Amino acid sequence: MAKTQWYKEMTVYQIWIRSFCDGNGDGIGDLFGVLKKLDYIKSLGVDAIWFSPIYPSPNADFGYDISDYMSIHRDYGTLDTFREVLDRAHGMGMRVFMDLVVNHTSDEHPWFKESRRAHNNPYHDYYIWRHGRVSRGRRYPPNNWTSMFEGGAWEYDEFLDEYYLHLFAKKQPDLNMANPKVREEVKRIMRFWLDMGVDGFREDVITYIGKAPGLPDAHPKLPIANGHRYYSNQPEAHKYLKEFKHDVLDHYDCFTVGESPLTTADIALSYVAEGPDQVLDEMIAFSHMEADCFMTDMIQTKFDLRKMKRAFSDWQEKLQGKAWNALYIENHDHPRIISRYGSEAYRVESGKMLAAMYMLQRGTPFIYQGQEIGMTNIRMKSLDQFQDVMTHNSIRMLQGLLPQTTILKMVNKGNRENSRTPVQWNAEKNAGFTEGEPWFPVNENYREVNVAAQENDPDSLLNFYRRLIAFRKANKVALYGDYIEHDKKSKDFYVYERNYLDKKLLVICFFSKEQKRFDAPVGISLENGHLVFSNYEMNQVVSNGFTARPYELRVYLFDPERPKDPYEGLRRQT
């Protein structure tokens, strides 16, 4: 089947189902809740839904530890319920993507249970088992790699006298993708969902599926993700992805976006550059999410706008004309963006600015549930309130090094549970998320920040997102225009233009609470443009510039075919 590039013009809405909407009153979000909210999702103007894992799972990593790839977690419904969601979404003109998690499984997956029965079990080689090293009578793991979540990357099995590799939690053993039988299982999983009608996959840490031969020690030793260079972006990963594409994906008109931590734009091009060697449609970047941290959200630094701009521009410029970007500022793995790069004091203003800042770049925008209403970080009162394995690993590493109050402050700011609080639908009990007891606390600001409060307010953040999505659909310059950044050294402004045929878009984003003068780039007259987006009224232009207010946004469209409004200049002055 010939593949088309419909994904270039779509906008995707991500659902982390456990916190989206509870449809049966047990306190946990589910597919019944999704069915109730499909009209709302469609009203945003999005073209597709991406479900974070909804498969059966013990929830050691809330769904990213899968025990059955071809079913639905009982908390969320059944396969029949999912088919109803799929059919109804398709009937409304929306595509549906599943999360494909094949770097690892749950340790409760039947394959792993079989693999630890005996060395000669047919499933033993489905995973990466190795004998340990012995030195001076002591047993050590096969190498010095560390995991992302729980200390060392190896777990000892006394019955087999072997270790299994887990790059994430202990309950997430890595699959041995070098085994052809494992790759056939992955193809079978893909075909199962594609044959059902699913439109593609977001592929979790997919560049980790190839490990370096021999699994060597890594030096110098790092406290987290030690050994990363031996299991990230190995040649084998590209080889396996090419096989999946040739044997499965090329036979469906589907979409794939890969997740690849610590991957540069140059490396990403080896996967997504259009041509015979392309194995993924898009790659999820991480670098632009590191403007206030080092490697991980928990190691926090002061927000550096220039660092963020360099990251965005690097991907925009290097992929331009060669590949397509995946655009996002929130997902299930990061704290809320307004609490990070924006301002809770200027929640609506900074929320609008951040939305336009990333969605008007070149690529496919992904919107995370609650982002469209400006949900913010939650503040926990004690460390024992957190449930996430990654959060607990961070607490474990910080214990003994810092006071409890400092740890709580750091964890409150940097934990990914900030994005996993229940979606705030209205100002009623539990924010309208559930009639039961919510599985996780609702943010206390739900009475002010919720869908119902914004639905009929034309100036709300929610309706701003709707207008922004509609604008992208209607304007080729926002879809296919080139990308040119201005004033790269500015510590306060992020300014870029998009050009397509004879049209231009100028995006001006101000990242400060203090007012500051903005002057238009050389060669661009603001008076000749039409102000299509802003987050303040009374948008004066004086001497081809203006005094930017806190977190101000202005987007100008320059279109020679658009009739000049004789009152436009007057309106900007009043």
Side-chain angles (χ1 to χ4, degrees):
M1 177 181 292
K3 292 190 67 175
T4 58
Q5 294 183 324
W6 44 261
Y7 59 85
K8 290 187 175 181
E9 297 190 5
M10 72 177 177
T11 301
V12 183
Y13 190 80
Q14 182 193 353
I15 292 178
W16 198 80
I17 197 167
R18 194 173 185 85
S19 290
F20 183 66
C21 180
D22 173 20
N24 62 6
D26 65 356
I28 298 171
D30 50 41
L31 289 168
F32 310 107
V34 174
L35 283 168
K36 288 171 55 179
K37 299 299 183 181
L38 279 179
D39 286 337
Y40 167 78
I41 297 170
K42 179 63 178 177
S43 79
L44 298 174
V46 300
D47 307 280
I49 298 169
W50 151 33
F51 282 105
S52 288
I54 54 177
Y55 315 99
S57 167
N59 281 330
D61 187 20
F62 286 113
Y64 284 89
D65 50 316
I66 297 168
S67 56
D68 183 351
Y69 286 97
M70 298 185 188
S71 189
I72 300 295
H73 197 297
R74 62 180 179 273
D75 285 348
Y76 308 144
T78 65
L79 272 174
D80 287 338
T81 320
F82 176 76
R83 287 190 184 97
E84 185 177 355
V85 171
L86 182 64
D87 291 345
R88 195 176 297 183
H90 282 168
M92 301 170 77
M94 294 187 291
R95 302 177 192 266
V96 175
F97 308 133
M98 296 291 275
D99 219 310
L100 185 72
V101 188
V102 293
N103 176 73
H104 46 264
T105 71
S106 166
D107 65 348
E108 297 183 32
H109 195 290
W111 299 341
F112 189 73
K113 290 181 178 179
E114 287 294 318
S115 80
R116 66 194 317 172
R117 286 182 180 273
H119 296 99
N120 61 356
N121 188 287
Y123 287 93
H124 189 68
D125 199 36
Y126 270 44
Y127 296 85
I128 300 174
W129 289 95
R130 294 290 186 274
H131 288 291
R133 298 180 290 190
V134 178
S135 176
R136 297 181 181 180
R138 293 188 62 185
R139 183 179 63 246
Y140 294 91
N143 65 26
N144 68 349
W145 295 2
T146 53
S147 75
M148 299 286 186
F149 288 172
E150 290 187 285
W154 297 92
E155 187 70 8
Y156 180 65
D157 184 286
E158 187 173 357
F159 176 73
L160 292 174
D161 190 27
E162 283 187 325
Y163 292 81
Y164 67 84
L165 179 69
H166 62 93
L167 296 179
F168 294 90
K170 295 174 183 178
K171 289 183 68 62
Q172 292 173 287
D174 277 50
L175 284 164
N176 177 20
M177 206 61 69
N179 182 349
K181 293 181 179 178
V182 173
R183 300 201 297 277
E184 290 304 315
E185 296 281 11
V186 173
K187 296 173 195 176
R188 188 166 66 94
I189 294 164
M190 287 180 164
R191 291 189 187 102
F192 175 83
W193 293 106
L194 292 169
D195 287 341
M196 188 184 296
V198 165
D199 301 286
F201 303 100
R202 177 265 190 188
E203 303 187 5
D204 186 64
V205 291
I206 198 64
T207 55
Y208 285 9
I209 62 175
K211 276 71 173 178
L215 308 180
D217 278 342
H219 298 287
K221 189 175 180 181
L222 302 173
I224 185 172
N226 192 54
H228 186 266
R229 69 176 183 268
Y230 293 123
Y231 58 76
S232 177
N233 297 302
Q234 292 293 308
E236 290 79 8
H238 196 279
K239 173 186 171 184
Y240 303 149
L241 288 171
K242 192 169 187 178
E243 181 180 329
F244 298 153
K245 184 175 183 293
H246 178 271
D247 291 358
V248 179
L249 299 171
D250 280 347
H251 301 277
Y252 300 84
D253 188 16
C254 62
F255 167 74
T256 55
V257 55
E259 182 201 32
S260 182
L262 301 177
T263 293
T264 65
D266 295 295
I267 293 173
L269 281 169
S270 67
Y271 297 93
V272 300
E274 295 174 3
D277 294 325
Q278 182 180 12
V279 292
L280 294 167
D281 293 316
E282 297 173 7
M283 184 72 81
I284 293 173
F286 278 68
S287 53
H288 66 284
M289 301 304 296
E290 298 168 0
D292 63 351
C293 63
F294 175 71
M295 289 183 67
T296 173
D297 297 338
M298 208 64 75
I299 304 176
Q300 294 145 17
T301 59
K302 184 180 178 180
F303 174 67
D304 185 341
L305 177 62
R306 289 190 292 186
K307 184 177 180 181
M308 186 203 77
K309 294 194 297 183
R310 284 195 300 271
F312 271 126
S313 291
D314 188 52
W315 282 71
Q316 287 288 308
E317 293 164 0
K318 288 179 177 175
L319 269 63
Q320 190 158 275
K322 299 177 182 178
W324 204 248
N325 276 282
L327 307 172
Y328 79 98
I329 51 174
E330 281 194 15
N331 64 27
H332 63 289
D333 275 336
H334 297 289
R336 293 289 183 177
I337 197 67
I338 289 174
S339 300
R340 295 183 66 177
Y341 293 3
S343 167
E344 293 184 9
Y346 294 93
R347 186 183 61 82
V348 176
E349 293 86 353
S350 65
K352 290 178 179 180
M353 182 272 290
L354 290 164
M357 179 272 295
Y358 91 99
M359 288 184 67
L360 292 176
Q361 294 184 36
R362 196 168 192 261
T364 299
F366 290 75
I367 299 170
Y368 181 68
Q369 63 186 42
Q371 174 186 330
E372 75 275 17
I373 60 169
M375 286 180 63
T376 59
N377 285 356
I378 193 171
R379 306 294 193 274
M380 297 297 201
K381 294 180 172 60
S382 66
L383 293 173
D384 58 12
Q385 289 183 277
F386 296 101
Q387 300 186 30
D388 181 40
V389 62
M390 190 175 184
T391 305
H392 283 288
N393 185 51
S394 298
I395 294 171
R396 178 187 59 80
M397 293 177 67
L398 294 170
Q399 294 282 13
L401 299 175
L402 297 169
Q404 292 291 100
T405 53
T406 303
I407 296 174
L408 180 61
K409 183 178 179 180
M410 290 178 64
V411 171
N412 266 325
K413 183 178 179 182
N415 78 83
R416 61 183 185 172
E417 288 167 282
N418 280 309
S419 63
R420 301 180 180 189
T421 58
V423 172
Q424 295 158 210
W425 295 103
N426 56 46
E428 299 173 11
K429 183 180 179 182
N430 299 326
F433 165 71
T434 181
E435 294 178 358
E437 183 67 24
W439 76 275
F440 196 77
V442 175
N443 195 313
E444 292 180 355
N445 67 6
Y446 75 89
R447 293 177 182 85
E448 294 77 39
V449 183
N450 62 72
V451 172
Q454 299 184 35
E455 192 67 64
N456 298 316
D457 176 3
D459 198 41
S460 69
L461 182 56
L462 171 59
N463 283 312
F464 182 88
Y465 267 92
R466 287 174 170 143
R467 290 194 297 273
L468 192 57
I469 293 168
F471 178 84
R472 289 186 75 259
K473 291 181 186 295
N475 291 272
K476 295 292 185 183
V477 64
L479 293 169
Y480 296 110
D482 63 8
Y483 171 94
I484 301 172
E485 184 188 351
H486 293 284
D487 199 6
K488 293 186 176 185
K489 294 183 179 180
S490 174
K491 297 181 180 180
D492 300 300
F493 289 98
Y494 181 19
V495 184
Y496 63 87
E497 66 177 87
R498 306 282 308 281
N499 297 278
Y500 184 76
L501 299 179
D502 56 352
K503 296 179 176 63
K504 181 192 298 290
L505 203 61
L506 182 67
V507 182
I508 306 163
C509 302
F510 183 49
F511 283 76
S512 176
K513 296 178 182 178
E514 305 299 326
Q515 295 189 7
K516 188 170 184 178
R517 169 75 184 178
F518 171 79
D519 292 301
V522 175
I524 298 178
S525 172
L526 299 184
E527 291 289 354
N528 293 330
H530 175 65
L531 186 64
V532 289
F533 288 105
S534 63
N535 55 359
Y536 284 94
E537 296 180 348
M538 300 180 66
N539 296 293
Q540 300 95 334
V541 173
V542 179
S543 300
N544 205 25
F546 57 90
T547 299
R549 291 156 287 188
Y551 297 94
E552 182 158 6
L553 164 75
R554 294 198 193 184
V555 179
Y556 290 91
L557 175 64
F558 299 83
D559 182 355
E561 297 178 2
R562 184 184 181 93
K564 180 68 176 177
D565 182 349
Y567 299 104
E568 181 67 24
L570 178 62
R571 271 199 286 268
R572 289 181 191 161
Q573 300 293 332
T574 59

